[in-house]
Amino acid sequence: MQASISHTEVPWEMEITASCSPAMPPDFDTNMKFKFSILALLLEVIVIVLYGIFVEYDKNFSAMELYPHFQDVHVMIFVGFGFLMTFLKKYGFSSVGFNMLIAAFGLQWGILMQGFWHMKEGKIPINIKSMINADFSTATALISFGALLGKTSPIQMLILTLLEITIFACNEHLVTEVFKATDVGASMTIHAFGAYFGLAAAFVLYRPGLTNKHENDESTYHSDLFAMIGTLFLWLFWPSFNSAIAEGQGAQPRAIINTYYSLAACTIVTFALSSLVDKRGKFSMVLIQNATLAGGVAVGTCADLAIHPFSAMFIGVIAGIVSVLGFQFLTPVMASKLKIQDTCGVHNLHGLPGILGGVAGIIVTAIKRETREGHLLTPSIQTAALGSTLAIAMVGGALTGAILKLPFLGQVSDQNCFDDSAYWEVPEEETVPEIHSSHRDEHSRFEAAM
Amino acid sequence: MQASISHTEVPWEMEITASCSPAMPPDFDTNMKFKFSILALLLEVIVIVLYGIFVEYDKNFSAMELYPHFQDVHVMIFVGFGFLMTFLKKYGFSSVGFNMLIAAFGLQWGILMQGFWHMKEGKIPINIKSMINADFSTATALISFGALLGKTSPIQMLILTLLEITIFACNEHLVTEVFKATDVGASMTIHAFGAYFGLAAAFVLYRPGLTNKHENDESTYHSDLFAMIGTLFLWLFWPSFNSAIAEGQGAQPRAIINTYYSLAACTIVTFALSSLVDKRGKFSMVLIQNATLAGGVAVGTCADLAIHPFSAMFIGVIAGIVSVLGFQFLTPVMASKLKIQDTCGVHNLHGLPGILGGVAGIIVTAIKRETREGHLLTPSIQTAALGSTLAIAMVGGALTGAILKLPFLGQVSDQNCFDDSAYWEVPEEETVPEIHSSHRDEHSRFEAAM
Amino acid sequence: MQASISHTEVPWEMEITASCSPAMPPDFDTNMKFKFSILALLLEVIVIVLYGIFVEYDKNFSAMELYPHFQDVHVMIFVGFGFLMTFLKKYGFSSVGFNMLIAAFGLQWGILMQGFWHMKEGKIPINIKSMINADFSTATALISFGALLGKTSPIQMLILTLLEITIFACNEHLVTEVFKATDVGASMTIHAFGAYFGLAAAFVLYRPGLTNKHENDESTYHSDLFAMIGTLFLWLFWPSFNSAIAEGQGAQPRAIINTYYSLAACTIVTFALSSLVDKRGKFSMVLIQNATLAGGVAVGTCADLAIHPFSAMFIGVIAGIVSVLGFQFLTPVMASKLKIQDTCGVHNLHGLPGILGGVAGIIVTAIKRETREGHLLTPSIQTAALGSTLAIAMVGGALTGAILKLPFLGQVSDQNCFDDSAYWEVPEEETVPEIHSSHRDEHSRFEAAM
């Protein structure tokens, strides 16, 4: 009786621990039983209908030689991105599971959105190359997911994927077909785009309640090892990512070689700086997991150009420096001053290195005369590509974030952020001490009451 | 003294906790020191002798272009199947270890069993394609292992592998050479066959003592993450599995495309239904780990036919529905009413989707005129292939189960099911609380006494 | 006051637990803040300058067909070797992290060291094949790392990598160009070389304080599962390793087939003997993780020769026997009598099977007339190759070990061996009981004081 009276007066954080909390504000109703299912099934039905109308097998099978590249990229999308985000101690199911959900929907949606710009006789032909491009489009949503990790529902992520891939396909068309800029490894159109889209959405979805470090926003020993599975498969197959759609004499081997050496140089620099910025000279797992990959992002735009391996290594070195300094000094400031909460630090892995890649493209086209399919690549074209990408990403991300603020999308409360049990049946751990178990029980009871 | 008197009177479950249990019934002697070693070495010697007599390098090296496909399938067999089964909290060593044992023996045995049907001048030529087929044959034993997981000894599994691959090769010959049916991705000959073979064996090996949920028959947070490694590598490389032996103009890219979209659609539906069937709308790891793969199974039979991507997606949708409903409603009924204990739920991942694949093949050949190497594919041929596969699998599995019931094959007691420590040296965990440690000690003492 | 007096008298092990230990002997100063960073950055600058002067893209792009092989080998180096060493309970970050550091530096350095022996017009051309060879060169340092695991600092490992790859490239030139011996899968030049180099260094770096089993020198349940990720990717892609640089009619498929069957046979034998040598007939994870791979090592030297699959299987059987017996009986003796502490047992996985591979090469060239690019392969040539490899590895390893004994290289004390927290920021574990936590706290305080 007394509990029911005090109900409206206690703050949210206390209410959650009350064993008899009778109702939840609708904004934080994480029960998705019908909402998620209906949305997902509806989207799948729409996709199948659109495939029935528009999609057909490509008659030209020459793209089959790209199949090993495709499989490498495919592993990056599902295993690489998925496990990279498992570093959080209680968010592994969501990281690898929602990553799979986003990617499985995104690769279907991407074919349509990219295909509508390149229809042949009213049809979208699919082959290995267009499947690689669809995997690429999915990467943008997964990068944005990294910024929002732990703070969004699967309903929100499906909507974000739908919108982001649609906007991505427009910007990609603008950059590659209208501007005819070069961006073979997609430093700009995927990495910078995905990062700034996600950061803009994170800005709109700012949670003041997470200003202080959330107790779940940290790793454990084994979650950090799981994340290294993601890091390594991304690192290893990045040369395939940057070279998959390279065309022309020697373009593919150059893209492979440049990416390989950029990553290697970036890795050495990341280890060096990780020790240097730590007060006791120790390595930080978050830097090794992420900043080692920045070299692959930054070399993307000019990966297939004959920039010479030592230039690629130089780009990797700069990327490593930028990424480590970003994680160490910029991310805390962005969270506290700019109200941008970037869970995985995608700004440092994809955002800044993506811009660096765009700038490298501007510099290379300024210094050397490079052509692509007969068109001269100029610094002004590359600058326009970078600028439009950043602008469209930020505006698109902010608008998407505003849509995701709509109530009834299954948002979690601040208290339940970074916790799988909001959306997953989580097994009881036998090695968990009493305090933790009781927390978990309370949690379950609380949600069962919803 | 008193303990020794009470020995014959206490039930088995209590006896195990008595610190001075003096003897074990021979049926549950898990000490394999000589039995397993002699069997394994004997089998290996037999295999080497048979290879010396029958096997030689194929002189035609054109199959080398299949090497990337082969490696993908190889990863599925060892990493995919192996880690998929690590979801049990105390059975990870056995899952990934016995999977490796079964596969390493199976791939040697499969070459012989499949090769005896296709000898050239008394010799079995091996090349990349026949190695892919040998990996395929291994998959049947691994699927059956999934049904029996946690309840059989490595001795039993070696015998099962020997028998199942032998019978599989006969049925495969019947389906593809005699009937000349189509089953490029082996929905029938591998998935349905392996599932119903294993389920029949499980029926014969029924353990009434496991009617109530065994305390070890559950996952932990990290064991579920390890299982996702298996899921993702299976998911990613399934297009290679279904297209590896596809032949003819456009068959391979079609098989890749159809499998890719069937899996993607199946995944969306699995997430949707996983939320829908849960009382609180939460996702279930067991469904995400398994039902997302059903689309790859079900599209197998007609993967290389020009069924159009949207049909492939439709097959994936049905597969997802069937698989989720099977896990949620059928598996409990099968265990309680039909006395079939299916540890991994292979009936829902391989059995039902395999039948669905066979039915899809019947429907497609009824609607469209399809030929294979000049032979017309007809619904009656496809029906015969499906029927013979199911019949041979069930009879073969039941007979094999009867053989595995022979005593002295290293069976575990019900109490020790789903526990690596029956067959493995397991490291002591420092984070294990007292109760658990003492259980483990007792366990070790108990086995040391055997 | 009293603590400060007793400081010089208490043994090291006690000192570490004293909360006010004022100073550390410089030999065990693991704070690498400037030392490591300066060394790593300096090496990277030197490498970039050398690449600027000497390295250029190869104009001949025919090596692109090796790209799938390259990626397989690449996965072995980073995921295979990296995760194989994560078996230690507190050394996962270092295993997979330092493995990445060593490999990222080694693949840059290897191109230069191998390239200097094959310059064309003063330039080192790089293509996929030379990148595979650079990955190979890295493997030697990673094998040696296995012997030294847990006992060396990243500074020491960078120096070892620099020296070992330099010496390796000389020996490789001697074996393949001067002697013109065959060693396609590098049983001798990589596996035996890396193992005996590392063992000689371990002999020089002998730590009497580790004579008794260190409390951290053991696995946990999940660390053993992580290690199986490494084992399986090594096992699966070993055929790519042994066939990557095979040339000539049928050489590549033969190398794939021989390696595949040698591994399969070795695996069966390893399981059989693992049970046989255990007093209770149980399998040992350390044997399954390691000895199953010995077949890949041992078949390396003659992998591409037409030795017949059954001979490959026979080599695999012998390799399995040698490796299991080595782990079981030789490693303990080597540690206690020969003062060689081999953390991962590389002697049993790479050393003995590598010699076995060399001996197999001698026997095969004695029995059959084999030629390579017009040169006759003779037993005397093969013997010279094996002998020179072992001699150069041991002398080189001993000299390198002497250099690594120099103070100020960030060595850990015996007490802190096999513990990530010496070099990494390690997350607090919430499931860790009190005793452990306090140990960790002490640890941190102790190091912060340095």
Side-chain angles (χ1 to χ4, degrees):
Chain A
M1 189 63 188
Q2 206 182 330
S4 129
I5 287 168
S6 68
H7 169 239
T8 52
E9 294 164 1
V10 295
W12 176 248
E13 282 74 11
M14 290 187 58
E15 188 183 285
I16 210 166
T17 61
S19 58
C20 55
S21 59
M24 294 281 303
D27 282 21
F28 298 127
D29 181 357
T30 58
N31 190 328
M32 316 172 297
K33 194 173 171 83
F34 296 104
K35 289 183 285 191
F36 174 80
S37 308
I38 291 169
L39 175 65
L41 292 176
L42 184 67
L43 287 176
E44 189 57 43
V45 168
I46 293 171
V47 164
I48 293 178
V49 170
L50 291 174
Y51 270 61
I53 300 170
F54 292 110
V55 173
E56 65 179 13
Y57 305 112
D58 191 358
K59 293 288 178 296
N60 176 0
F61 302 121
S62 63
M64 268 305 288
E65 67 194 15
L66 285 176
Y67 189 58
H69 275 79
F70 165 69
Q71 285 294 34
D72 290 354
V73 172
H74 215 34
V75 169
M76 291 174 77
I77 296 293
F78 285 80
V79 176
F81 281 103
F83 273 95
L84 182 61
M85 293 187 283
T86 58
F87 70 99
L88 288 171
K89 65 182 176 185
K90 288 185 177 180
Y91 212 63
F93 289 8
S94 302
S95 296
V96 78
F98 296 165
N99 186 85
M100 189 183 187
L101 172 69
I102 294 167
F105 175 67
L107 61 86
Q108 297 177 71
W109 191 246
I111 285 282
L112 294 170
M113 292 302 105
Q114 295 177 311
F116 285 140
W117 292 104
H118 303 94
M119 300 232 284
K120 289 178 185 167
E121 301 170 14
K123 290 286 184 183
I124 298 169
I126 45 174
N127 56 30
I128 303 298
K129 188 162 187 177
S130 63
M131 288 158 70
I132 291 174
N133 275 311
D135 268 17
F136 280 177
S137 77
T138 297
T140 60
L142 297 177
I143 291 167
S144 300
F145 181 43
L148 302 169
L149 193 76
K151 299 168 296 190
T152 45
S153 75
I155 300 173
Q156 290 177 303
M157 287 316 301
L158 273 188
I159 296 170
L160 178 137
T161 305
L162 185 82
L163 297 175
E164 180 162 3
I165 289 178
T166 308
I167 300 169
F168 157 78
C170 299
N171 180 62
E172 187 194 41
H173 180 75
L174 181 69
V175 166
T176 60
E177 304 293 321
V178 179
F179 293 156
K180 294 188 185 296
T182 188
D183 195 23
V184 72
S187 305
M188 298 184 285
T189 54
I190 293 176
H191 295 287
F193 183 90
Y196 288 100
F197 192 100
L199 293 169
F203 176 74
V204 174
L205 295 169
Y206 177 65
R207 286 171 177 263
L210 298 185
T211 308
N212 297 319
K213 179 98 175 162
H214 193 290
E215 62 164 336
N216 293 337
D217 185 13
E218 57 183 34
S219 66
T220 61
Y221 195 69
H222 282 158
S223 71
D224 269 329
L225 277 178
F226 278 114
M228 282 303 290
I229 298 173
T231 298
L232 289 178
F233 278 105
L234 286 172
W235 201 93
L236 291 166
F237 292 157
W238 215 293
S240 300
F241 191 97
N242 281 356
S243 69
I245 57 166
E247 281 180 356
Q249 173 72 6
Q252 213 171 49
R254 270 198 306 271
I256 290 167
I257 291 169
N258 288 336
T259 307
Y260 180 78
Y261 288 110
S262 178
L263 284 164
C266 180
T267 299
I268 304 302
V269 167
T270 298
F271 271 92
L273 295 195
S274 178
S275 172
L276 199 62
V277 298
D278 186 78
K279 63 181 188 297
R280 291 179 291 168
K282 297 189 181 194
F283 300 122
S284 152
M285 257 293 169
V286 69
L287 294 176
I288 304 308
Q289 283 159 4
N290 291 280
T292 51
L293 299 166
V297 175
V299 83
T301 296
C302 42
D304 63 339
L305 304 179
I307 57 172
H308 204 280
F310 86 87
S311 308
M313 293 160 108
F314 184 72
I315 291 173
V317 167
I318 304 296
I321 294 171
V322 165
S323 190
V324 169
L325 297 182
F327 273 102
Q328 197 70 13
F329 303 110
L330 199 55
T331 296
V333 172
M334 283 175 63
S336 60
K337 305 287 179 198
L338 301 182
K339 305 193 172 180
I340 300 173
Q341 292 156 334
D342 178 7
T343 309
C344 294
V346 299
H347 189 233
N348 314 304
L349 170 48
H350 301 280
L352 292 176
I355 291 180
L356 178 61
V359 172
I362 296 169
I363 294 171
V364 169
T365 53
I367 295 173
K368 274 183 72 176
R369 187 185 158 82
E370 295 275 358
T371 60
R372 174 128 315 154
E373 292 167 22
H375 297 278
L376 184 67
L377 298 172
T378 66
S380 59
I381 283 175
Q382 294 298 121
T383 306
L386 179 58
S388 80
T389 297
L390 295 178
I392 292 172
M394 284 192 247
V395 173
L399 291 174
T400 301
I403 291 169
L404 299 189
K405 271 199 136 172
L406 291 174
F408 308 112
L409 297 183
Q411 287 91 333
V412 285
S413 66
D414 291 353
Q415 170 78 10
N416 288 330
C417 279
F418 314 112
D419 191 337
D420 279 331
S421 61
Y423 302 113
W424 294 83
E425 298 288 349
V426 175
E428 295 288 331
E429 297 291 325
E430 67 175 319
T431 57
V432 170
E434 288 75 3
I435 304 154
H436 186 76
S437 304
S438 69
H439 165 73
R440 191 180 287 276
D441 280 352
E442 226 129 41
H443 208 82
S444 302
R445 246 180 291 140
F446 144 68
E447 273 161 315
M450 289 175 359
Chain B
M1 188 65 188
Q2 205 181 328
S4 130
I5 287 169
S6 68
H7 169 238
T8 53
E9 294 164 1
V10 294
W12 176 249
E13 284 74 14
M14 291 188 57
E15 188 184 287
I16 209 167
T17 60
S19 59
C20 54
S21 60
M24 295 281 302
D27 282 21
F28 298 127
D29 181 357
T30 57
N31 189 328
M32 315 171 300
K33 194 174 171 82
F34 297 105
K35 287 184 286 192
F36 173 81
S37 308
I38 290 168
L39 175 65
L41 292 175
L42 184 67
L43 288 176
E44 189 57 44
V45 168
I46 291 170
V47 165
I48 293 179
V49 170
L50 291 174
Y51 270 60
I53 300 170
F54 293 109
V55 174
E56 65 179 10
Y57 305 112
D58 191 358
K59 293 287 178 296
N60 177 0
F61 302 120
S62 63
M64 268 305 289
E65 67 195 13
L66 287 175
Y67 188 58
H69 275 79
F70 164 70
Q71 286 293 34
D72 290 354
V73 172
H74 214 36
V75 169
M76 291 175 76
I77 296 295
F78 284 80
V79 176
F81 281 102
F83 274 95
L84 183 61
M85 294 187 281
T86 58
F87 70 99
L88 289 171
K89 66 181 175 186
K90 289 185 177 179
Y91 212 63
F93 290 7
S94 302
S95 296
V96 78
F98 296 166
N99 186 86
M100 189 183 188
L101 172 70
I102 293 166
F105 175 66
L107 62 85
Q108 297 177 70
W109 190 247
I111 284 282
L112 293 170
M113 292 303 104
Q114 295 177 312
F116 285 140
W117 292 104
H118 303 95
M119 300 232 285
K120 290 178 185 166
E121 302 171 12
K123 290 287 185 182
I124 298 169
I126 45 175
N127 56 31
I128 303 298
K129 188 164 186 175
S130 63
M131 288 158 71
I132 291 175
N133 276 312
D135 268 15
F136 280 177
S137 77
T138 297
T140 60
L142 298 177
I143 292 167
S144 300
F145 180 43
L148 302 169
L149 192 75
K151 300 167 296 190
T152 44
S153 74
I155 299 172
Q156 290 176 303
M157 287 315 302
L158 272 188
I159 296 169
L160 179 138
T161 305
L162 184 82
L163 297 175
E164 181 163 2
I165 288 178
T166 307
I167 300 168
F168 156 79
C170 298
N171 181 60
E172 186 194 42
H173 180 75
L174 182 69
V175 166
T176 61
E177 305 292 323
V178 178
F179 294 156
K180 294 190 185 298
T182 187
D183 195 22
V184 70
S187 306
M188 297 184 285
T189 53
I190 292 176
H191 295 286
F193 183 91
Y196 289 100
F197 193 101
L199 293 168
F203 175 75
V204 174
L205 295 170
Y206 177 65
R207 285 169 177 264
L210 298 185
T211 310
N212 297 318
K213 179 96 175 165
H214 193 289
E215 62 164 336
N216 292 338
D217 186 12
E218 59 183 33
S219 66
T220 60
Y221 195 70
H222 281 159
S223 71
D224 269 329
L225 277 178
F226 277 114
M228 281 302 291
I229 298 173
T231 298
L232 288 179
F233 278 105
L234 286 171
W235 202 94
L236 290 166
F237 292 158
W238 215 292
S240 299
F241 190 97
N242 281 357
S243 69
I245 57 168
E247 281 181 356
Q249 174 70 5
Q252 214 172 46
R254 272 198 305 272
I256 290 167
I257 290 169
N258 289 336
T259 307
Y260 180 77
Y261 287 109
S262 178
L263 284 165
C266 180
T267 299
I268 304 300
V269 168
T270 298
F271 271 92
L273 295 194
S274 178
S275 172
L276 199 62
V277 300
D278 186 78
K279 63 180 188 298
R280 291 179 290 169
K282 298 190 181 193
F283 300 121
S284 152
M285 256 295 169
V286 69
L287 295 176
I288 305 308
Q289 282 159 5
N290 291 279
T292 51
L293 299 167
V297 175
V299 83
T301 296
C302 41
D304 63 340
L305 305 178
I307 57 172
H308 203 281
F310 87 88
S311 308
M313 293 161 109
F314 184 73
I315 292 173
V317 167
I318 305 297
I321 294 170
V322 165
S323 190
V324 169
L325 297 181
F327 273 103
Q328 197 69 15
F329 303 110
L330 199 55
T331 297
V333 173
M334 284 175 62
S336 60
K337 305 287 180 198
L338 302 182
K339 304 194 172 180
I340 300 172
Q341 293 157 334
D342 178 7
T343 309
C344 294
V346 300
H347 189 232
N348 313 303
L349 170 48
H350 302 279
L352 293 176
I355 291 179
L356 178 60
V359 172
I362 295 167
I363 295 172
V364 168
T365 53
I367 295 173
K368 274 183 70 176
R369 186 186 159 82
E370 294 276 358
T371 59
R372 173 125 319 153
E373 292 168 21
H375 297 278
L376 184 67
L377 298 172
T378 68
S380 60
I381 283 175
Q382 294 299 121
T383 306
L386 180 57
S388 80
T389 296
L390 295 178
I392 292 172
M394 284 191 249
V395 173
L399 291 174
T400 300
I403 292 169
L404 300 189
K405 271 198 133 171
L406 292 175
F408 308 113
L409 297 184
Q411 288 91 332
V412 284
S413 66
D414 291 353
Q415 170 76 11
N416 288 330
C417 279
F418 314 112
D419 191 337
D420 280 332
S421 60
Y423 302 113
W424 295 84
E425 299 288 350
V426 174
E428 295 288 332
E429 297 291 325
E430 66 175 318
T431 56
V432 171
E434 288 75 4
I435 303 153
H436 186 76
S437 303
S438 69
H439 165 74
R440 191 180 284 280
D441 281 351
E442 224 129 46
H443 208 83
S444 302
R445 247 180 288 138
F446 143 69
E447 274 162 315
M450 288 176 0
Chain C
M1 189 64 189
Q2 205 178 334
S4 131
I5 287 169
S6 68
H7 168 239
T8 51
E9 294 164 0
V10 293
W12 177 247
E13 283 74 13
M14 290 187 58
E15 188 182 287
I16 211 167
T17 60
S19 59
C20 54
S21 60
M24 295 280 303
D27 281 20
F28 298 126
D29 181 358
T30 58
N31 190 328
M32 316 172 298
K33 193 173 171 81
F34 296 104
K35 287 183 285 189
F36 173 81
S37 309
I38 290 169
L39 175 65
L41 291 176
L42 184 68
L43 288 176
E44 188 58 44
V45 168
I46 291 171
V47 165
I48 293 179
V49 169
L50 292 174
Y51 270 60
I53 299 171
F54 292 110
V55 173
E56 64 178 13
Y57 304 113
D58 191 358
K59 293 288 178 296
N60 177 0
F61 302 121
S62 63
M64 268 305 288
E65 67 194 16
L66 285 176
Y67 188 58
H69 275 79
F70 164 69
Q71 285 293 34
D72 290 355
V73 172
H74 215 36
V75 169
M76 291 175 76
I77 296 294
F78 284 81
V79 176
F81 281 103
F83 274 94
L84 183 62
M85 293 188 282
T86 58
F87 71 98
L88 289 171
K89 65 181 176 186
K90 289 185 178 180
Y91 213 62
F93 289 7
S94 302
S95 296
V96 79
F98 296 165
N99 186 86
M100 188 183 189
L101 172 70
I102 293 167
F105 175 66
L107 63 84
Q108 298 178 69
W109 190 247
I111 285 282
L112 294 170
M113 292 302 105
Q114 295 177 312
F116 285 140
W117 292 102
H118 303 93
M119 301 233 283
K120 289 177 185 167
E121 300 170 13
K123 291 287 184 182
I124 298 169
I126 46 174
N127 55 30
I128 303 297
K129 188 162 186 176
S130 63
M131 287 158 71
I132 292 175
N133 275 312
D135 268 15
F136 279 178
S137 77
T138 297
T140 59
L142 298 176
I143 292 167
S144 300
F145 181 43
L148 302 169
L149 193 75
K151 299 168 296 190
T152 44
S153 74
I155 299 172
Q156 290 176 304
M157 287 314 302
L158 272 189
I159 296 170
L160 178 138
T161 305
L162 184 82
L163 297 175
E164 180 162 4
I165 290 179
T166 307
I167 300 168
F168 157 78
C170 298
N171 180 61
E172 186 193 42
H173 180 76
L174 180 69
V175 166
T176 60
E177 303 293 322
V178 179
F179 293 156
K180 293 188 186 298
T182 188
D183 195 22
V184 70
S187 305
M188 298 184 285
T189 54
I190 293 176
H191 295 287
F193 183 90
Y196 288 100
F197 192 101
L199 293 168
F203 176 74
V204 174
L205 295 170
Y206 177 65
R207 286 171 177 264
L210 298 184
T211 309
N212 297 320
K213 179 96 174 166
H214 192 289
E215 63 164 335
N216 293 337
D217 186 12
E218 58 185 33
S219 66
T220 61
Y221 195 68
H222 282 160
S223 70
D224 269 330
L225 278 178
F226 277 114
M228 282 302 291
I229 298 173
T231 298
L232 288 179
F233 279 105
L234 286 171
W235 201 93
L236 290 166
F237 292 158
W238 214 294
S240 299
F241 190 97
N242 281 356
S243 69
I245 56 167
E247 281 180 357
Q249 174 70 7
Q252 215 172 45
R254 272 198 306 270
I256 290 168
I257 291 169
N258 288 336
T259 307
Y260 180 78
Y261 288 110
S262 178
L263 283 164
C266 179
T267 300
I268 304 302
V269 168
T270 298
F271 271 92
L273 294 195
S274 178
S275 172
L276 198 63
V277 299
D278 186 78
K279 64 181 187 298
R280 290 180 292 168
K282 297 190 179 192
F283 300 122
S284 153
M285 258 294 169
V286 68
L287 294 176
I288 305 307
Q289 283 159 4
N290 291 280
T292 52
L293 299 167
V297 175
V299 83
T301 296
C302 41
D304 63 339
L305 304 178
I307 57 172
H308 204 282
F310 87 87
S311 307
M313 294 161 108
F314 184 73
I315 291 173
V317 167
I318 304 295
I321 294 171
V322 165
S323 190
V324 169
L325 297 182
F327 273 103
Q328 198 68 15
F329 303 110
L330 199 54
T331 296
V333 172
M334 282 174 63
S336 60
K337 305 286 179 198
L338 302 183
K339 304 193 172 180
I340 300 174
Q341 292 156 336
D342 178 7
T343 309
C344 294
V346 300
H347 189 232
N348 314 303
L349 170 49
H350 302 279
L352 293 175
I355 291 179
L356 179 60
V359 171
I362 295 168
I363 294 171
V364 168
T365 52
I367 296 172
K368 274 182 72 175
R369 186 185 158 82
E370 295 276 359
T371 59
R372 174 123 320 151
E373 292 166 22
H375 297 278
L376 184 67
L377 298 172
T378 66
S380 59
I381 283 175
Q382 294 299 121
T383 307
L386 179 57
S388 81
T389 297
L390 296 178
I392 292 173
M394 286 193 248
V395 173
L399 291 175
T400 301
I403 292 169
L404 300 189
K405 273 199 134 171
L406 291 175
F408 307 113
L409 297 184
Q411 287 92 331
V412 285
S413 66
D414 290 352
Q415 171 76 9
N416 289 330
C417 278
F418 314 112
D419 191 337
D420 280 331
S421 60
Y423 302 113
W424 295 83
E425 298 288 347
V426 175
E428 295 289 331
E429 297 291 326
E430 67 175 319
T431 57
V432 172
E434 289 74 6
I435 304 153
H436 187 75
S437 303
S438 70
H439 165 73
R440 191 180 287 278
D441 281 352
E442 224 130 47
H443 209 80
S444 302
R445 245 181 290 138
F446 142 68
E447 274 162 313
M450 286 173 5

